[in-house]
């Protein structure tokens, strides 16, 4: 068996970042920016009013000024403002030449085309200088996952399309005679397939394009048939059949089909019977069949591989720290990822950790990480965890 760190290193060696593609800005949210994007204009492109009021050359309490025009958003005032003059102006409108400040309308009284400035004038100029947000050539660095705020910024930079990393295509294959799809009537010895759906949801959240292939039955012919449907996948994930029992045929069939194995078995729980390799042009990860084991391995291994394929770097899933709300007994010889909940007093490991209990996973919001042979821990001690989401 190899360690989790060694397994990740070998996976990263297989996960080459994918090529970029250009997409319209409206389709770029959530995608990974592949190349630096630079602004094509200043923002604002002109000195702009930050308030509704009057643009003036100078102002003092009690001044009486003549209103000579109006400046609105999209319709600026073409002339200039001189002493004793004012231009009615609205938020976002260009500040006319000669104006040094905007007097907010609450600090004025108006009678026809005359305004009088009140006492205790607001101190700020209420003018946003040209380029005060960003200048032409300002850059958004890559790589980064584009948030809604990034999309708004790119639009204001006058960028209509961006280069993003192609989304990884992932083939998901569940194996086992005991499995049927949700909504079907299982036989007396069958169960509903769940791992594929959970992993597909995780992959979608990560920015990948999952494709669920038919369930592969526990015989060589069925496995060969389903593996023949992999097509152009960048990553192939099998669930189940990765151990060494008489019905665990994934590894030998893949070997017959030319897979170059990178590793098999990892010193962790849950998730020991994990394997990986190169299958054609695709990276291959074989996950254990226990529902919780598959999902835990999804967070620990699949998520970092997807981020690596997207060009976001080869790094383990980021960990956080929290105090233990309750004590923990000593850990054994494998790194343990315990389902846990976060609360005001810290993090609490779930009482039941059996790898078949999806209900416990559903009640959890983190994986508490126990190092190999970690000693007993008292309440209040700091521990590491992987958050869900």
């Amino acid at each position: 068996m190899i360690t989790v760190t060694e397994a990740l290193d070998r996976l990263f060696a297989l996960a080459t970042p994918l090529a970029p593609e250009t997409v319209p800005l409206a389709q770029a949210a959530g995608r990974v920016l592949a190349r630096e994007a630079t602004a094509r204009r200043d923002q604002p492109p002109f000195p702009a009013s930050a308030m509704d009021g009057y643009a003036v050359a100078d102002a003092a309490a009690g001044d009486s000024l003549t209103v000579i025009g109006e400046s609105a958003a999209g319709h600026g005032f073409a002339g200039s403002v001189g002493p004793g003059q004012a231009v009615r102006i609205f938020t976002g409108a260009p500040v006319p030449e000669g104006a040094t400040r905007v007097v907010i309308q609450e600090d004025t009284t108006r009678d026809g085309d005359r305004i009088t400035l009140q006492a205790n004038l607001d101190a700020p100029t209420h003018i946003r200088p040209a380029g005060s947000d960003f200048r032409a050539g300002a850059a958004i660095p890559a790589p980064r996952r584009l948030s809604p705020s990034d999309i708004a910024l790119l639009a204001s930079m006058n960028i209509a399309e961006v280069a993003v990393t192609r989304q990884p295509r992932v083939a998901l294959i569940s194996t086992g005679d005991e499995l049927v799809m949700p909504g079907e009537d299982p036989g007396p010895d069958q169960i509903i397939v769940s791992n594929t759906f959970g992993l597909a949801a995780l992959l979608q959240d990560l920015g990948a394009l999952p494709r669920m292939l038919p369930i592969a039955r526990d015989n060589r012919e069925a496995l060969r048939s389903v593996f023949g449907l992999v097509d152009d996948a960048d990553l192939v994930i099998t669930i189940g059949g990765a151990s060494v029992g008489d019905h665990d045929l994934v590894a030998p069939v893949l070997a017959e089909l030319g897979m170059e194995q990178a590793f098999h078995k990892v010193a962790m729980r849950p998730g020991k019977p994990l394997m990986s390799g190169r299958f054609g042009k695709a990276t291959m990860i074989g996950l254990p069949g226990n529902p919780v084991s598959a999902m835990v391995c999804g967070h620990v291994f699949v998520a970092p591989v997807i981020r690596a394929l997207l060009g976001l770097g080869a790094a383990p899933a980021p960990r956080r720290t929290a105090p233990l709300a309750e004590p923990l007994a000593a850990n054994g010889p494998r790194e343990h990822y315990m389902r846990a909940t976060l609360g005001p007093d810290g993090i609490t490991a779930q009482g039941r950790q059996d790898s078949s209990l999806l209900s416990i996973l559903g009640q959890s919001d983190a994986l508490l990480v126990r190092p190999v042979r970690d000693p007993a821990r008292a309440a209040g001690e700091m521990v590491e965890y992987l958050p869900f989401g």
Side-chain angles (χ1 to χ4, degrees):
M1 288 191 292
I2 63 174
T3 66
V4 170
T5 299
E6 290 173 311
L8 280 169
D9 287 343
R10 296 188 192 185
L11 282 168
F12 291 143
L14 300 170
T16 304
L18 301 176
E21 61 183 5
T22 300
V23 300
L25 186 59
Q27 299 175 17
R31 301 291 298 274
V32 174
L33 187 68
R35 288 195 288 263
E36 180 180 271
T38 56
R40 299 175 58 194
R41 59 177 292 167
D42 296 344
Q43 178 63 24
F46 44 75
S49 178
M51 301 288 283
D52 292 344
Y54 294 87
V56 299
D58 48 31
D63 283 355
S64 180
L65 308 174
T66 301
V67 180
I68 61 172
E70 179 180 288
S71 182
H75 303 281
F77 178 72
S80 61
V81 180
Q85 297 177 329
V87 169
R88 180 73 166 112
I89 196 166
F90 300 94
T91 303
V95 175
E97 184 179 347
T100 62
R101 66 175 294 172
V102 172
V103 178
I104 62 174
Q105 62 187 33
E106 292 88 346
D107 287 350
T108 67
T109 56
R110 182 166 179 169
D111 184 10
D113 64 355
R114 303 285 295 178
I115 60 169
T116 301
L117 307 187
Q118 299 177 2
N120 301 317
L121 294 176
D122 201 17
T125 64
H126 300 301
I127 294 176
R128 297 168 179 152
S132 56
D133 191 359
F134 56 81
R135 293 284 186 181
I140 297 180
R144 64 186 287 138
R145 190 179 298 279
L146 293 172
S147 69
S149 297
D150 292 327
I151 299 299
L153 178 57
L154 287 162
S156 69
M157 289 177 163
N158 198 22
I159 295 172
E161 55 185 25
V162 290
V164 295
T165 307
R166 180 172 64 78
Q167 292 177 277
R169 296 183 288 261
V170 184
L172 287 167
I173 304 171
S174 284
T175 69
D177 289 341
E178 75 279 14
L179 301 176
V180 298
M181 293 291 283
E184 296 182 5
D185 293 323
D189 301 318
Q190 292 183 307
I191 58 173
I192 309 299
V193 64
S194 57
N195 302 332
T196 319
F197 288 86
L199 289 166
L202 175 63
L203 289 162
Q204 286 176 332
D205 284 347
L206 293 166
L209 297 174
R211 181 165 59 99
M212 288 189 282
L213 299 185
I215 295 170
R217 301 305 171 188
D218 288 325
N219 62 75
R220 292 177 182 272
E221 293 73 22
L223 283 165
R224 282 177 171 274
S225 176
V226 175
F227 286 135
L229 302 175
V230 165
D231 197 22
D232 60 352
D234 304 296
L235 175 63
V236 178
I237 298 176
T238 62
I239 306 117
S243 193
V244 292
D246 292 344
H247 299 284
D248 294 312
L249 301 174
V250 170
V253 170
L254 282 171
E256 293 168 5
L257 295 174
M259 186 190 81
E260 302 169 23
Q261 191 173 104
F263 63 82
H264 192 178
K265 294 186 182 179
V266 179
M268 66 179 290
R269 55 183 294 218
K272 174 184 170 184
L274 184 86
M275 67 176 176
S276 182
R278 171 72 62 186
F279 182 53
K281 295 181 179 181
T283 301
M284 183 270 166
I285 302 176
L287 302 181
N290 273 327
V292 174
S293 301
M295 292 303 296
V296 167
C297 289
H299 289 283
V300 176
F301 296 108
V302 175
V305 166
I306 293 296
R307 285 190 282 267
L309 290 171
L310 286 170
L312 292 172
R319 296 181 181 184
R320 299 177 185 173
T321 59
L324 275 174
E326 297 178 0
L328 282 176
N331 189 36
R334 289 186 283 161
E335 194 167 320
H336 194 182
Y337 292 81
M338 306 180 75
R339 282 152 286 170
T341 56
L342 294 162
D345 297 327
I347 189 167
T348 304
Q350 296 279 12
R352 296 190 296 163
Q353 292 291 328
D354 187 283
S355 60
S356 67
L357 302 177
L358 275 175
S359 60
I360 302 299
L361 184 67
Q363 297 165 16
S364 304
D365 45 24
L367 292 172
L368 195 163
V369 184
R370 303 295 308 281
V372 173
R373 302 198 185 283
D374 192 40
R377 298 289 180 179
E381 289 193 62
M382 300 300 293
V383 293
E384 291 187 326
Y385 70 92
L386 298 181
F388 292 154

